[in-house]
Amino acid sequence: MAGLNHKAAEGIRRALKLGSIEQDVPMARFTSFRAGGAAEYLVTPGNEEELLEALAIIAGFGVPFFVLGNGTNLLVRDGGFEGFIIHIGKNFSDISVEGETLRAGAGALLSEAAGAALGASLGGLEFAAGIPGSVGGAVSMNAGAFGGEIKDVLAGAELAFAGGAAGPCISEAGNGAMGFSYRRCALCEAGGIVIGAAMKLRRTERAGIEAAMRDYAQRRAEKQPLSMPSAGSFFKRPEGSYAGRLISDAGLKGLSVGGAQVSELHAGFIVNRGGATAADICRLMEMVQKAVYERFGAVLEPEVKIIGKV
Ligand SMILES: Cc1cc2nc3c(=O)[nH]c(=O)nc-3n(C[C@H](O)[C@H](O)[C@H](O)COP(=O)(O)OP(=O)(O)OC[C@H]3O[C@@H](n4cnc5c(N)ncnc54)[C@H](O)[C@@H]3O)c2cc1C
């Protein structure tokens, strides 16, 4: 596999003019956990064409790849990811507004998109202002907060697919084709790489948008450990309850393994209080899952995507 990866990397290196490919890149630099192993190759395409060329090479060699947005819902195990992590970042970050439609590149930050909506007096993205992901990551995760979710505002998305016989392609999908459910997008799970998204918003008085954003930001600042590295809520909300409440009621606040700790402020967050390894975080995750299951019979599934080798 290492040989194939190397050949694919050489091909990608030749294909990239604006973008870059780097080897052995510590993903702690690219994830909000500030922990974890390295990407064997980190590919940063300069534009759509370069993304498609890289995908064609990756598909041609049949080597593994994973898409990275802003790394705020991701943990790479300490042994690293063997293959190609494709970073959809700044090179895909244009934002424009036309009428009540906001278009954003997948690499734009969701907070930037929410800021542009505010600037254009368009309501609908207030819930998203404090979510630290990229637009692509938010679509892929159907990110949500304070009663709003991406699926409520997304008109459609442009996606790249590594492709089958015909090679990589770009296609557009409407909201209904995305297969959204709680923190899931079926089309992304099926290999769709979001390049851009169109959100259908509504004309709203600016003061109202601003007030809602301020209120949400204040509630986050009070309830979430924002000054410590984390990936937000570590677990999905189980049917009929809240992960944070179950973890807190099980007496697990403050529980720690190495540098990883169940936040004292919000038990749904696992924080890196300094020097945590991915193994610390995963061990703590398992301890929490076991304790909550034994105490309440509730199964906690991680919301955070965990990839790579132990
Ligand atoms: C302090 C904090 C608070 C948070 N609060 C919230 C919250 O209120 N609500 C919430 O829902 N989440 C929250 N999160 C989690 C996180 O911000 C969201 O899940 C966000 O949508 C992840 O986006 P990202 O770009 O960082 O994705 P990444 O972490 O880079 O990736 C996450 C997943 O998305 C996929 N992905 C990324 N980009 C693309 C793309 N272009 N195309 C296809 N797939 C892609 C990845 O492959 C991976 O499976 C919080 C995180 C932190 C650290």
Side-chain angles (χ1 to χ4, degrees), residues 11 130 146 267:
F146 305 109

Side-chain angles (χ1 to χ4, degrees), residues 66-67 69-73 132-134 137-138 140 143-144 183 194 220 230 232 305:
F66 185 85
V67 180
N70 202 35
T72 60
N73 205 40
S134 66
S140 159
R183 299 297 172 264
V194 182
R220 272 185 197 275
S230 79
K305 304 288 179 191

Side-chain angles (χ1 to χ4, degrees), residues 31-291:
T31 57
S32 55
F33 252 132
R34 299 280 171 259
E40 185 183 0
Y41 293 102
L42 180 73
V43 180
T44 307
N47 54 30
E48 279 181 27
E49 291 70 44
E50 291 192 356
L51 171 64
L52 290 181
E53 284 184 70
L55 287 176
I57 293 166
I58 284 169
F61 281 96
V63 291
F65 76 95
F66 185 85
V67 180
L68 168 72
N70 202 35
T72 60
N73 205 40
L74 180 65
L75 180 64
V76 181
R77 290 193 193 87
D78 301 312
F81 181 82
E82 253 177 45
F84 296 80
I85 292 195
I86 301 182
H87 188 197
I88 305 293
K90 281 201 301 293
N91 298 335
F92 296 79
S93 62
D94 288 350
I95 297 178
S96 64
V97 177
E98 206 184 309
E100 297 189 334
T101 302
L102 182 145
R103 287 177 206 283
L109 293 181
L110 199 53
S111 56
E112 293 167 347
L118 167 68
S121 291
L122 292 176
L125 274 180
E126 294 86 335
F127 77 90
I131 300 177
S134 66
V135 166
V139 171
S140 159
M141 294 299 302
N142 184 23
F146 305 109
E149 279 182 319
I150 287 294
K151 76 167 169 49
D152 304 334
V153 291
L154 190 97
E158 196 186 1
L159 301 117
F161 290 86
C169 63
I170 289 185
S171 65
E172 292 194 4
N175 184 309
M178 300 297 289
F180 283 127
S181 55
Y182 173 64
R183 299 297 172 264
R184 278 193 65 201
C185 165
L187 200 56
C188 293
E189 283 179 6
I193 301 172
V194 182
I195 297 176
M199 322 262 191
K200 186 84 186 96
L201 305 175
R202 52 182 187 279
R203 203 137 300 284
T204 308
E205 232 179 85
R206 193 187 155 108
I209 303 174
E210 237 163 359
M213 286 183 177
R214 215 176 307 120
D215 173 41
Y216 295 156
Q218 195 177 336
R219 288 204 247 166
R220 272 185 197 275
E222 279 165 13
K223 298 203 174 114
Q224 300 182 356
L226 298 181
S227 63
M228 297 178 91
S230 79
S233 296
F234 196 94
F235 299 100
K236 290 186 184 171
R237 189 171 358 100
E239 256 323 280
S241 188
Y242 290 97
R245 184 172 303 158
L246 293 173
I247 297 167
S248 175
D249 289 352
L252 302 173
K253 266 190 175 173
L255 181 71
S256 55
V257 175
Q261 184 179 41
V262 175
S263 165
E264 307 260 12
L265 189 60
H266 186 317
F269 281 52
I270 290 180
V271 294
N272 177 358
R273 57 177 186 177
T277 61
D280 292 340
I281 294 167
C282 289
R283 178 79 194 107
L284 185 59
M285 168 189 82
E286 287 160 8
M287 285 165 69
V288 168
Q289 285 172 317
K290 184 164 181 284

